[in-house]
Amino acid sequence: MHIRTLTGGLTAALMVSLTLTGGQAVAAAPDAADAPLAARVLTYDAGGSAEFRSAVDRGAAIWNESVDAVELRPAAAGQRANIRVLADNGWPRAQTTTLGNGTVYIGRQAVQQGYDTIRISAHELGHILGLPDRKPGPCSSLMSGSTAGTACTNPYPNAAEKAEVEGNFGGLLADRTPATIPAMIVD
């Protein structure tokens, strides 16, 4: 989100820059092709996430801090969400329907084994954003999931994971239907 704000500010500054022609100030016309695309907004409903609600909100905030092309927001009351987040007694998993849409399960089994709830939330949201598991992997890779071990509490995507999400959503326009990618990913 930080780059989007910076880019928007620079674009605004360029739009109001003035050139003098014939002693008169004339506003420079912005080039529509150079205007930054707005982030694709995806909503999530964490109403069924029980004791993991704050971890889900933090996981979404981490993605918002990390990428510019997509923004995760809580769904408004009565609004149909792109992402449903539920707590259950199984292992954490994500079921995608299309890119940016699906259901995340925050499984208590992993939490009981000592895995970090914020890392679980950010990891499962990563699947909805189009990222696969990268197992085995180091703690520095969010999508390494459980293979990083219970001592790993890193909830942040690495540079490659950020770039992949930017690529997945960077070219999508708000009115374009994303590709279908049905899958159940159990971590």
Side-chain angles (χ1 to χ4, degrees):
M1 187 164 330
H2 56 285
I3 293 173
R4 179 179 35 221
T5 304
L6 177 63
T7 305
L10 290 174
T11 301
L14 290 173
M15 289 173 56
V16 295
S17 66
L18 302 175
T19 57
L20 291 176
T21 56
Q24 196 172 19
V26 179
D31 184 354
D34 294 334
L37 292 175
R40 174 141 182 236
V41 174
L42 299 176
T43 57
Y44 66 94
D45 177 359
S49 63
E51 69 269 26
F52 306 119
R53 177 63 186 253
S54 65
V56 172
D57 290 339
R58 184 64 192 127
I62 286 167
W63 278 109
N64 290 342
E65 295 165 13
S66 300
V67 297
D68 295 315
V70 66
E71 183 178 347
L72 301 172
R73 291 186 193 159
Q79 178 185 20
R80 182 168 182 219
N82 299 96
I83 306 163
R84 230 173 40 142
V85 185
L86 305 171
D88 73 3
N89 292 326
W91 193 256
R93 60 203 179 279
Q95 183 172 7
T96 59
T97 52
T98 59
L99 181 62
N101 296 282
T103 303
V104 164
Y105 298 88
I106 308 296
R108 291 183 182 97
Q109 183 179 358
V111 176
Q112 291 166 353
Q113 291 180 20
Y115 290 95
D116 183 73
T117 58
I118 297 172
R119 179 174 167 85
I120 292 169
S121 296
H123 174 93
E124 297 306 331
L125 289 169
H127 288 310
I128 301 296
L129 299 177
L131 298 178
D133 280 323
R134 301 237 162 66
K135 295 180 179 186
C139 184
S140 59
S141 169
L142 175 62
M143 300 314 291
S144 67
S146 63
T147 63
T150 57
C152 179
T153 59
N154 169 39
Y156 293 93
N158 65 26
E161 293 161 341
K162 292 176 192 178
E164 191 171 345
V165 170
E166 294 287 11
N168 289 345
F169 289 91
L172 292 178
L173 300 175
D175 62 346
R176 184 177 150 197
T177 304
T180 300
I181 52 168
M184 171 64 86
I185 304 167
V186 178
D187 297 311

